[in-house]
Amino acid sequence: EAQVTQNPRYLITVTGKKLTVTCSQNMNHEYMSWYRQDPGLGLRQIYYSMNVEVTDKGDVPEGYKVSRKEKRNFPLILESPSPNQTSLYFCASSFGRLADTDTQYFGPGTRLTVL
Amino acid sequence: ELKVEQNPLFLSMQEGKNYTIYCNYSTTSDRLYWYRQDPGKSLESLFVLLSNGAVKQEGRLMASLDTKARLSTLHITAAVHDLSATYFCAARSGTYKYIFGTGTRLKVLA
């Protein structure tokens, strides 16, 4: 089954404790991206990757890191989480080409609470 | 800088009625997306609109794009309860950045 998976789905942590949220896709997509969803703000893009070893900042990159060492994986790293990073996080992927039907496929989401 | 505005933010409508959700974007974008999100779930792609005058339909939902007005609409025809969800539009900035609207929470009442 074609899908984007994220782990963990739920995480409660404390301020300053480094954490990683994993994202993996099995569709051979070139493009992957991370978003956070907050009430009243919609989705905001954190980082994206156009291909292996190629990443760039979205609109809200502060406090986050990413890496793309393999095509299928795109982990999101919070080196020192703070309470304002409490949010619902989505990973997404797409072919990243100009095809009419190209659209992003979203993972199930990770609900993160930072105390 | 590309900005995307959706309205209304909340929409409560009776079954069988028609309504339209509006999505305005501030600068040129080469494609416009519509997504649906059910409560507690992920986002599901509905439509991708590429060119001026593009119209796509799926069941009771029809999306259109007017690039000159920088406006996309999602029209709901004869709403049914199953359409209750949050709908997001998103515009692409350049090739790889995506800007989402704040979403429209739709509730269809029986």
Side-chain angles (χ1 to χ4, degrees):
Chain A
E1 180 191 352
Q3 59 183 349
V4 179
T5 57
Q6 293 178 229
N7 282 291
R9 295 288 311 280
Y10 303 91
L11 179 59
I12 300 174
T13 189
V14 295
T15 299
K17 186 176 181 182
K18 181 179 178 180
L19 67 92
T20 299
V21 184
T22 64
C23 173
S24 184
Q25 50 91 7
N26 62 0
M27 296 170 277
N28 200 34
H29 283 165
E30 292 181 349
Y31 181 88
M32 298 185 75
S33 183
W34 277 102
Y35 297 88
R36 60 177 289 173
Q37 183 177 16
D38 301 290
L41 296 177
L43 277 80
R44 292 178 293 167
Q45 194 170 33
I46 302 170
Y47 270 96
Y48 59 91
S49 170
M50 299 77 89
N51 214 325
V52 175
E53 301 292 3
V54 184
T55 63
D56 206 348
K57 297 176 181 178
D59 276 348
V60 288
E62 294 79 19
Y64 304 94
K65 286 177 59 177
V66 293
S67 67
R68 186 97 180 268
K69 293 182 169 50
E70 303 168 287
K71 195 171 186 177
R72 64 182 293 128
N73 296 322
F74 190 45
L76 179 69
I77 303 158
L78 285 72
E79 295 268 2
S80 182
S82 62
N84 64 13
Q85 292 178 298
T86 292
S87 188
L88 178 59
Y89 291 86
F90 287 102
C91 179
S93 72
S94 74
F95 285 110
R97 298 169 194 161
L98 299 177
D100 285 3
T101 56
D102 188 39
T103 186
Q104 293 183 83
Y105 294 82
F106 283 81
T110 295
R111 187 166 291 282
L112 172 66
T113 301
V114 183
L115 302 174
Chain B
E1 181 186 352
L2 177 61
K3 294 187 187 303
V4 176
E5 285 188 8
Q6 263 181 262
N7 65 82
L9 297 184
F10 300 97
L11 179 53
S12 181
M13 56 192 297
Q14 297 287 330
E15 275 194 332
K17 298 292 187 182
N18 304 333
Y19 210 84
T20 301
I21 299 171
Y22 297 89
C23 176
N24 289 91
Y25 54 100
S26 60
T27 64
T28 301
S29 176
D30 70 337
R31 52 189 65 195
L32 197 291
Y33 303 83
W34 285 96
Y35 293 90
R36 168 181 172 147
Q37 185 180 36
D38 292 307
K41 303 289 187 182
S42 186
L43 281 81
E44 172 192 358
S45 177
L46 294 173
F47 302 108
V48 182
L49 303 168
L50 298 180
S51 58
N52 190 44
V55 177
K56 290 194 175 179
Q57 183 161 5
E58 180 77 31
R60 300 175 188 273
L61 300 178
M62 183 174 71
S64 66
L65 179 62
D66 181 343
T67 57
K68 294 178 182 175
R70 294 179 185 151
L71 171 69
S72 180
T73 61
L74 181 66
H75 186 72
I76 302 152
T77 300
V80 293
H81 179 72
D82 285 352
L83 290 179
S84 297
T86 299
Y87 293 87
F88 291 95
C89 65
R92 195 167 77 170
S93 174
T95 307
Y96 297 111
K97 290 186 75 170
Y98 293 85
I99 308 298
F100 280 74
T102 51
T104 296
R105 185 181 294 180
L106 171 65
K107 187 171 185 179
V108 180
L109 306 171

